[in-house]
Amino acid sequence: MIRRLLLTTAAAVALLASAAADAKVFRYSTSGDINGLDPHLNNEGPTNAMKNNLYEALIFRDHELKLRPSLATDWKQTAPTVWRFNLRKGVKFHDGTPFTADDVVFSIKRNNHEQSGMRTYSASVVDVKKVDDHTVDIITKAPDPILDQNLPAVFIMSKAWAEKHNTTTPVQGIVGNETYANLHENGTGPFKLLDRVPDTRTVIVPNPDWWGKVEHNLTRVEFRPITNAATRVAALLSGEIDMMFPVPLQDVPRLKRSQGVKVMEGPELRTVFLGMDQWRDELKDMPGTGKNPFKDVRVRRAFYQAIDIQAIHRVVMRGASTPTGLMIAPGINGFSKELNDRYPFDPEGAKKLLADAGYPQGFPVTLDCPNDRYVNDEAICQAIVPMLARIGINIKLNSQTKSKHFDKIGTRSGNDTSFYMLGWTPGTYDAHNMLYNILMTRNQQTGTGSNNSGRYSNPKLDELTLQIGSESDREKRNRMIYEAMKIHKEDFGHIPLHQQALAWGVRDNVANLPQPPNDAVIVRFVKMK
């Protein structure tokens, strides 16, 4: 009896040991937490990457930025403004509910809600019609040559689940008062949510009922935000985590020399820039004056030419950046090498511009800056403060975590900013995305300029952007993109800084981890040794 009990116990221990040996856990970290789980809120890189694990769209964009069938098996245009999508059969949401055309109709309309943070990706859609349970027609208000490029960011959620949990519209809550959909999920994706503690961890596990071909070997994924860069590097070196990004530039050489760790580097398509309040009649930092200096193009140009971008590239970014004169990067359709040349660094000329505009002594302004979103974001802003001080600008630097930063400069607060930093990767890898979201006049009803926090506005650029959105002739379309970008550059509507370089730290126990140029960790392709 005792012998049999011992044998049984030994077998159980062996089984547990075997299961532990077979476990493939991928633990990764970046500088800040995701901003929530609602598929139609928070248009932000790491947040969208997490959504892609849990939710799916009709079309999937892979790590090579190629389009793949996802919840739609195929699609075609049946008329200039009609796209027909044949839906995948046999797909179920994580709660077991079957996926049908009703969910697609519901989700695209929900994504187009005025409170949606993702509606830019379905803005051309005026209607979605169910043909049958597995066929839908998407109707656009004008021919949309890049609808298929937009749809990978339009996630499909369960209509029944949303109705059950009173979350049929996206509502941007605040921490501690968030909607059910921002704290829970019910997608069709390759992973399911196991545990989420905001600002601490998000744990996901494989969906055993996923319809697709599994390309990973993971049993569990743990995302842990670690704000402090030194702590994040230490966690990687100790083996506490398997991957972290971004690697602080000063630590790249150290990690390259460290045993058991490698650094993955590559170009990124995000452009980091500064924006200015150009709509208030009185700048928030100048109460009682009745003046907003940023409404004068000479002031905007002065700020641009007072910033020594080469010093930022050399000292702050340690060479790991590409200074830019454009709001889009090489690799984005519509990029112009000619327009990418920057105006010269000229602090003396900047002083004269300020004097000519009526501000010979400068003026005060607050610079809103994140401290955990972009590579050396706070350090860049700290470097800009004395550069602008040289021309008489008294900068108050307001650096804070990305969630608070985006709240302050975003639409929820009514764009409560005078001068700010932001970075943007066009989700379609086409210039129209930048023009539509960042450069067009902000309109809450239509969704244009949804991330135009300084409310730059030029009617000619608006007109061109709308034409670009429906122009199918590629050559003509690119000429219009060139013209729109030239207008913005000569307006000094924003101050483009650079594209940062990608740097990921990865332990050797990670066998496969694609590094796409949009800086997204796509765990469905990760393999552990």
Side-chain angles (χ1 to χ4, degrees), residues 82-110:
V82 180
W83 293 62
R84 176 158 291 187
F85 289 81
N86 292 313
L87 307 181
R88 195 174 297 279
K89 297 177 181 177
V91 177
K92 292 184 178 181
F93 287 96
H94 294 160
D95 67 355
T97 305
F99 158 71
T100 71
D102 292 326
D103 302 304
V104 176
V105 173
F106 166 77
S107 295
I108 295 178
K109 290 182 177 180
R110 188 179 189 271

Side-chain angles (χ1 to χ4, degrees), residues 44 78 133 138 149 213 276 283 292 361 376 395 454 471:
E44 188 254 355
T78 57
D133 279 350
I138 296 180
Q149 302 290 330
K213 177 186 176 183
M276 300 151 282
L283 199 67
N292 181 352
Q361 305 304 317
N376 285 358
I395 297 278
E471 181 54 63

Side-chain angles (χ1 to χ4, degrees), residues 16-31:
L16 288 171
S18 175
D22 291 338
K24 303 291 184 183
V25 181
F26 177 61
R27 302 156 300 173
Y28 72 107
S29 177
T30 190
S31 53

Side-chain angles (χ1 to χ4, degrees), residues 203-221:
V203 181
I204 60 177
V205 293
N207 172 15
D209 299 318
W210 188 50
W211 58 267
K213 177 186 176 183
V214 176
E215 299 182 61
H216 65 84
N217 65 351
L218 306 177
T219 55
R220 180 184 173 101
V221 177

Side-chain angles (χ1 to χ4, degrees), residues 294-314:
F294 288 129
K295 285 183 172 252
D296 192 318
V297 67
R298 292 170 296 185
V299 172
R300 301 196 299 269
R301 179 167 186 161
F303 270 56
Y304 182 120
Q305 296 199 240
I307 295 173
D308 187 349
I309 195 64
Q310 290 301 328
I312 291 173
H313 167 71
R314 185 177 63 255

Side-chain angles (χ1 to χ4, degrees), residues 183-312:
L183 295 171
H184 304 82
E185 65 84 17
N186 183 36
T188 60
F191 291 86
K192 301 168 67 171
L193 182 70
L194 180 66
D195 183 32
R196 171 150 171 79
V197 181
D199 295 321
T200 303
R201 67 181 177 273
T202 302
V203 181
I204 60 177
V205 293
N207 172 15
D209 299 318
W210 188 50
W211 58 267
K213 177 186 176 183
V214 176
E215 299 182 61
H216 65 84
N217 65 351
L218 306 177
T219 55
R220 180 184 173 101
V221 177
E222 298 177 5
F223 169 67
R224 307 178 192 173
I226 302 176
T227 302
N228 184 274
T231 304
R232 210 161 58 244
V233 170
L236 180 73
L237 290 172
S238 69
E240 182 184 340
I241 57 176
D242 306 301
M243 180 268 184
M244 57 82 72
F245 71 108
V247 176
L249 297 177
Q250 67 271 17
D251 289 311
V252 170
R254 174 190 173 198
L255 289 186
K256 285 182 175 179
R257 295 191 302 267
S258 299
Q259 201 167 22
V261 174
K262 62 183 176 182
V263 178
M264 297 174 63
E265 297 175 284
E268 189 180 29
L269 296 178
R270 177 188 290 114
T271 298
V272 177
F273 58 89
L274 302 175
M276 300 151 282
D277 174 7
Q278 296 171 58
W279 70 284
R280 288 185 179 89
D281 291 328
E282 181 178 271
L283 199 67
K284 289 173 65 66
D285 299 274
M286 298 173 64
T289 65
K291 294 181 179 180
N292 181 352
F294 288 129
K295 285 183 172 252
D296 192 318
V297 67
R298 292 170 296 185
V299 172
R300 301 196 299 269
R301 179 167 186 161
F303 270 56
Y304 182 120
Q305 296 199 240
I307 295 173
D308 187 349
I309 195 64
Q310 290 301 328
I312 291 173

Side-chain angles (χ1 to χ4, degrees), residues 2-170:
I2 294 174
R3 185 170 179 271
R4 189 160 53 245
L5 180 61
L6 288 172
L7 287 172
T8 303
T9 304
V13 170
L15 186 62
L16 288 171
S18 175
D22 291 338
K24 303 291 184 183
V25 181
F26 177 61
R27 302 156 300 173
Y28 72 107
S29 177
T30 190
S31 53
D33 195 14
I34 62 171
N35 291 334
L37 296 172
D38 191 312
H40 305 142
L41 287 175
N42 303 310
N43 187 12
E44 188 254 355
T47 304
N48 288 342
M50 181 58 74
K51 294 176 199 172
N52 248 314
N53 300 321
L54 307 168
Y55 286 94
E56 294 177 292
L58 297 177
I59 304 170
F60 174 65
R61 191 185 297 277
D62 68 15
H63 56 285
E64 295 178 334
L65 307 186
K66 294 178 181 177
L67 300 183
R68 294 190 189 185
S70 188
L71 292 180
T73 55
D74 57 274
W75 55 92
K76 64 179 179 180
Q77 282 186 270
T78 57
T81 60
V82 180
W83 293 62
R84 176 158 291 187
F85 289 81
N86 292 313
L87 307 181
R88 195 174 297 279
K89 297 177 181 177
V91 177
K92 292 184 178 181
F93 287 96
H94 294 160
D95 67 355
T97 305
F99 158 71
T100 71
D102 292 326
D103 302 304
V104 176
V105 173
F106 166 77
S107 295
I108 295 178
K109 290 182 177 180
R110 188 179 189 271
N111 195 74
N112 259 356
H113 192 275
E114 65 176 17
Q115 294 189 75
S116 169
M118 305 292 287
R119 67 173 167 159
T120 179
Y121 298 106
S122 54
S124 67
V125 177
V126 292
D127 201 5
V128 190
K129 293 183 177 179
K130 173 182 175 180
V131 178
D132 58 42
D133 279 350
H134 292 94
T135 312
V136 295
D137 282 345
I138 296 180
I139 298 97
T140 58
K141 55 191 166 190
D144 184 350
I146 58 169
L147 179 67
D148 56 345
Q149 302 290 330
N150 273 296
L151 288 180
V154 180
F155 298 105
I156 307 302
M157 65 189 303
S158 165
K159 180 175 183 287
W161 182 81
E163 290 173 343
K164 178 181 177 181
H165 296 289
N166 194 29
T167 185
T168 55
T169 58

